Amino acid sequence: PQPLEQEHHFHIVEVSSLLPATDVEGCNPSPKGNKKGNSLEVRHKHGPCSSSTLESDKESRPSHVEILENDEKRVDSIRERVKPKSVEVDSVTDHKKAPKKDRVKQKAVGLPVKSGSTIGSGNFIVTIGLGTPKKDLSLIFDTGSDFTWTQCEPCKRSCYKQKDPVFNPSESSTYTNITCTSTLCSEVRSATSAKPGCAGSTCVYGIQYGDSSFSVGFLAKDTLTLGSSYDTIPNFYFGCGENNQGLFGGSAGLIGLGRNQLSVMSQCATKYGQVFSYCLPSKASSTGHLTFGKGGTSSKSITYTPLLSGSAGASFYFIDLQGLSVGGQKLSIQPTVFTQGGVLIDSGTVITRLPPDAYSALQAAFNKAMSKYPKAPALSILDTCFDLSKYTTVTVPKIGLQFGGKAEIVLPAAGIFYVKDISQVCLAFAGNGDASD
Amino acid sequence: VGILGNVQQLTFDVVYDVAGSKLGFGPGGC
């Protein structure tokens, strides 16, 4: 490419800048982090900014291969949830028993038993306050699921290790259990993909994730407190987990920002108008924000694309991806390639998946533009990898995504690669196995 | 050990305007 064209359509990046943060760097909170009162600081679950709250989790940090394998499990769960189906957990009324996979009944022939499970947890955490007086809890934030839950004393069956003190309902003056006859109890089914149970008169939820992690406990309500301005949401419905097991990374539970009536977004609709925004920290050693309400972004140049809603996967945020470009060249991809299975955005998925034909086109164009660099072995699901160990700077084609409403985003260099180490730098996209996924 | 997160969304502000039925991206978010 000519110099001017190169500047427009290629990133020229120092290889060292692609490397992920390490603990040695410590935590450097982003100066752009939103400081508004209705804003929560977003931290990576395993990064140095989490060390003050999740120190005990360091030894359980996953490897890169484990991160990618867990990501595949999450995406498998999303694929199954988006497909039309009818499944139910036959009973979660006994909270002393885990909702094991073999208890998920199939009603649609040929579907895998895991199709009733919801997606695995994401990588980013925020701290909220719960109860009166409020107790601070670090929860995984997730736009791809709906149900908010935290571990609760007395942990009748099991609680995994978390850094924050476990929430104790008996110490909150505003805590209330929800009865089985409440309409909110029936809403649990769509929020958790599992039919709620009943213990005495109390509604019992059960939620199982794609990696077999789960939480079972009481549906409850209490006061939720958000941000430095201590915005309060009275009567916030959540799960008070008495039996919790899985890879939640030392967090106290999960906050669901999906589209279901029980999600935080829906429950806070009156206060924040069904608008929220986030920025994921650009390095694990930095911080981002999760902000409720309008005006939460630090950037003035927001490009919008319509949100789509479909009958399948009603909890998810579907968007209208129409095309891809590499190095300024639009790829030849039929528009129906993207509409066949649909496209959704999810804060908890690490690697963007593309339909097979779209991924093939992206891979071919990217390989062509990167042909001067030696290839490297595949890393789990990532099959387009390069050895950049002999370079101090590299020229990388910009990747653009075109959305409905004439919106386009061009990914920064950090959004193009997943870097295991400098000798194995991989294109951070993967192909779906089926065109209808 | 360095951990990477959800790389495509890094450095963007992502705005979910559910009431307005639109989703926004803003560069240089954090």
Side-chain angles (χ1 to χ4, degrees):
Chain A
Q2 296 302 308
L4 191 58
E5 182 189 353
Q6 198 165 45
E7 191 177 318
H8 277 298
H9 300 306
F10 290 77
H11 297 288
I12 299 170
V13 292
E14 288 189 26
V15 172
S16 59
S17 71
L18 296 172
L19 290 169
T22 65
D23 284 347
V24 178
E25 291 183 39
C27 177
N28 300 297
S30 169
K32 288 186 179 178
N34 196 300
K35 306 296 183 192
K36 294 184 179 177
N38 52 357
S39 186
L40 311 177
E41 193 171 72
V42 171
R43 292 162 284 144
H44 196 287
K45 192 167 63 173
H46 298 290
C49 290
S50 299
S51 58
S52 60
T53 53
L54 302 176
E55 188 75 28
S56 60
D57 185 46
K58 278 186 178 177
E59 292 178 4
S60 64
R61 285 176 177 176
S63 68
H64 286 284
V65 169
E66 286 170 329
I67 290 171
L68 295 171
E69 286 176 349
N70 288 338
D71 199 50
E72 188 67 359
K73 288 175 185 171
R74 181 182 179 94
V75 172
D76 278 344
S77 294
I78 293 173
R79 288 172 181 140
E80 291 302 328
R81 286 190 71 196
V82 169
K83 287 179 182 173
K85 62 187 180 295
S86 177
V87 294
E88 65 177 349
V89 177
D90 54 354
S91 173
V92 292
T93 53
D94 181 358
H95 58 265
K96 292 182 179 178
K97 291 180 181 175
K100 292 177 182 174
K101 278 185 176 179
D102 58 6
R103 297 175 64 210
V104 179
K105 295 287 188 183
Q106 285 182 244
K107 286 190 173 176
V109 176
L111 288 175
V113 291
K114 67 183 177 185
S115 48
S117 64
T118 188
I119 52 185
S121 61
N123 291 314
F124 296 94
I125 56 172
V126 295
T127 300
I128 55 96
L130 190 65
T132 308
K134 81 175 178 73
K135 302 289 184 184
D136 287 341
L137 300 167
S138 294
L139 305 180
I140 292 164
F141 100 86
D142 187 3
T143 65
S145 62
D146 297 303
F147 193 71
T148 299
W149 61 270
T150 188
Q151 299 198 105
C152 275
E153 294 285 6
C155 296
K156 286 187 177 182
R157 179 68 178 180
S158 172
C159 279
Y160 58 81
K161 195 173 179 182
Q162 68 175 59
K163 187 62 181 178
D164 298 319
V166 175
F167 183 72
N168 190 340
S170 67
E171 293 176 357
S172 174
S173 62
T174 44
Y175 177 92
T176 309
N177 279 332
I178 304 303
T179 62
C180 309
T181 53
S182 165
T183 53
L184 268 300
C185 187
S186 54
E187 192 68 32
V188 164
R189 178 171 183 149
S190 57
T192 63
S193 300
K195 185 180 175 183
C198 207
S201 61
T202 301
C203 182
V204 175
Y205 76 90
I207 187 163
Q208 183 185 16
Y209 296 92
D211 59 1
S212 298
S213 302
F214 65 85
S215 174
V216 183
F218 304 117
L219 181 65
K221 66 177 180 180
D222 206 336
T223 299
L224 176 69
T225 304
L226 298 173
S228 57
S229 63
Y230 302 113
D231 282 6
T232 56
I233 295 93
N235 300 318
F236 176 75
Y237 293 88
F238 68 102
C240 201
E242 297 288 352
N243 188 7
N244 318 280
Q245 292 177 28
L247 302 168
F248 298 106
S251 67
L254 186 143
I255 184 166
L257 288 156
R259 308 186 76 159
N260 182 272
Q261 287 298 306
L262 269 179
S263 83
V264 171
M265 188 276 301
S266 296
Q267 291 198 54
C268 299
T270 306
K271 196 172 190 71
Y272 299 121
Q274 287 188 290
V275 178
F276 67 93
S277 61
Y278 60 77
C279 178
L280 305 181
S282 53
K283 281 192 165 188
S285 60
S286 187
T287 57
H289 69 89
L290 168 62
T291 303
F292 294 90
K294 289 184 177 175
T297 59
S298 54
S299 170
K300 291 177 181 173
S301 53
I302 307 291
T303 304
Y304 284 99
T305 184
L307 277 172
L308 308 179
S309 56
S311 55
S315 293
F316 295 119
Y317 294 99
F318 281 91
I319 48 179
D320 182 20
L321 179 62
Q322 297 181 337
L324 303 170
S325 64
V326 174
Q329 299 290 313
K330 189 162 187 213
L331 303 182
S332 177
I333 303 169
Q334 292 295 319
T336 52
V337 163
F338 296 108
T339 55
Q340 189 174 353
V343 177
L344 60 91
I345 182 166
D346 165 36
S347 70
T349 297
V350 177
I351 299 299
T352 292
R353 267 65 170 187
L354 292 171
D357 286 354
Y359 180 68
S360 298
L362 174 69
Q363 183 186 40
F366 195 78
N367 271 330
K368 187 178 177 186
M370 293 284 289
S371 58
K372 67 179 279 193
Y373 301 107
K375 299 297 290 285
L379 175 64
S380 183
I381 58 170
L382 306 179
D383 61 2
T384 305
C385 303
F386 301 88
D387 178 356
L388 303 181
S389 58
K390 291 186 172 60
Y391 300 84
T392 51
T393 61
V394 289
T395 303
V396 179
K398 291 182 178 177
I399 294 179
L401 295 88
Q402 289 91 41
F403 295 98
K406 297 185 177 176
E408 179 179 29
I409 61 167
V410 177
L411 300 177
I416 291 174
F417 288 124
Y418 189 103
V419 185
K420 181 190 174 192
D421 57 49
I422 216 64
S423 64
Q424 202 173 11
V425 177
C426 302
L427 177 65
F429 287 83
N432 279 333
D434 192 308
S436 65
D437 283 347
Chain B
V1 178
I3 304 291
L4 279 163
N6 312 349
V7 289
Q8 275 86 14
Q9 296 175 50
L10 300 182
T11 80
F12 283 103
D13 270 323
V14 188
V15 185
Y16 288 66
D17 183 349
V18 184
S21 196
K22 58 185 181 178
L23 181 121
F25 295 98
C30 58

